[in-house]
Amino acid sequence: MSTLQITDLHASVLTDEGPREILRGVTLTVDSGSTHAVMGPNGSGKSTLAYVIAGHPKYVVTQGSITLDGADVLAMSVDERARAGLFLAMQYPVEVPGVSVSNFLRTSATAVRGEAPKLRTWMKEMKDAMAGLQMDPKFAERNVNEGFSGGEKKRHEILQLSLMKPKIAILDETDSGLDVDALRVVSEGFNAFRDETGAGTLLITHYTRILQYIKPDHVHVFVDGRIVESGGPELAAVLESEGYERFVSAGSAAS
């Protein structure tokens, strides 16, 4: 059982004009086996929350705390956070020219597991994971995200997730840029990982379509850098039918 605890989190982004506050007091607990969907309009700070948890140097935490199983996440470097069990599937995965997917994945697994997996065992493990995501085995020979389509990039993110087996998975708009078929395959791949590991999940999205495949236990409405309302899966249906306007107005009034 693992717990990601976020308490009264405030964070700013560094700009040419100086720091600008984005997160304005986020409190959220994600336990193993639970899936939290964070939904909100563009510019509300959802992705910033993901980046701050992962340790992006562009953001500065000015107040509050993040702990994983009681350990201070904010005191950890980015790689220490990954080894501790945090994983971020990025909305816009970066290209890594000259590094093959196979080498990238094995190096990552070695860092997380503390020792290099045996090559024969590793190849089978990787091929099985790729088959589950309907990926051509030749994909492993390509350079990381170089020339990948949107669907290929997102499948690669879920492939990493299934091989690294983190305690807490953060999915930042994983549905972005996916067609209907790719969304189904990516979601099924994630669900298989979650069922196998019992990991906790923080799922960031604008739309409810991914929630048809990845069922949330909790839904949070994120406006102006904070959670303004929380509920069960039924809250997503409200957002689908009514949009965010009511919550944006309430959030502005509270400010």
Side-chain angles (χ1 to χ4, degrees):
M1 184 72 178
S2 290
T3 298
L4 177 69
Q5 179 70 58
I6 304 166
T7 305
D8 192 29
L9 185 66
H10 293 247
S12 299
V13 62
L14 301 177
T15 70
D16 293 338
E17 292 75 33
R20 179 168 62 89
E21 188 175 46
I22 305 295
L23 302 183
R24 306 169 186 270
V26 180
T27 296
L28 180 65
T29 301
V30 180
D31 292 319
S32 294
S34 66
T35 298
H36 294 252
V38 175
M39 306 182 68
N42 285 324
S44 59
K46 303 184 305 299
S47 291
T48 296
L49 176 61
Y51 294 149
V52 169
I53 296 170
H56 196 299
K58 184 179 180 180
Y59 301 94
V60 177
V61 173
T62 56
Q63 184 175 318
S65 64
I66 305 174
T67 61
L68 178 63
D69 298 335
D72 183 1
V73 170
L74 298 178
M76 301 177 188
S77 62
V78 173
D79 59 304
E80 287 172 339
R81 297 181 197 205
R83 287 198 297 268
L86 294 174
F87 180 95
L88 171 61
M90 295 182 286
Q91 182 180 2
Y92 302 110
V94 298
E95 295 183 3
V96 187
V99 178
S100 71
V101 167
S102 178
N103 285 339
F104 173 76
L105 292 173
R106 189 163 185 254
T107 300
S108 299
T110 298
V112 169
R113 301 177 187 182
E115 62 180 5
K118 294 181 179 179
L119 190 57
R120 181 177 297 180
T121 303
W122 170 252
M123 293 303 295
K124 182 181 186 306
E125 185 179 355
M126 185 174 64
K127 287 180 179 179
D128 287 348
M130 291 175 68
L133 289 163
Q134 300 180 23
M135 300 170 73
D136 188 322
K138 293 181 180 179
F139 185 91
E141 302 168 10
R142 298 172 62 183
N143 290 338
V144 174
N145 292 323
E146 194 171 34
F148 287 14
S149 68
E152 287 174 331
K153 288 180 179 179
K154 298 305 174 68
R155 291 185 199 212
H156 182 219
E157 293 288 288
I158 302 303
L159 177 61
Q160 294 173 52
L161 186 68
S162 64
L163 292 169
M164 300 307 113
K165 295 181 172 53
K167 298 175 182 177
I168 303 291
I170 305 163
L171 307 186
D172 184 19
E173 299 193 32
T174 295
D175 51 340
S176 176
L178 296 183
D179 61 30
V180 173
D181 291 330
L183 177 62
R184 176 184 53 78
V185 171
V186 165
S187 298
E188 288 175 353
F190 172 79
N191 286 334
F193 152 78
R194 186 179 55 181
D195 292 344
E196 177 189 356
T197 65
T201 306
L202 185 60
L203 172 62
I204 295 169
T205 184
H206 289 297
Y207 307 109
T208 59
R209 66 174 191 155
I210 194 171
L211 304 185
Q212 298 173 24
Y213 299 98
I214 300 176
K215 303 295 185 182
D217 302 295
H218 311 276
V219 175
H220 309 279
V221 184
F222 206 83
V223 173
D224 195 26
R226 60 171 68 91
I227 294 171
V228 297
E229 186 158 338
S230 297
E234 69 281 352
L235 182 54
V238 173
L239 295 173
E240 177 70 16
S241 61
E242 299 181 9
Y244 295 112
E245 184 176 354
R246 170 164 64 91
F247 301 99
V248 171
S249 299
S252 299
S255 298

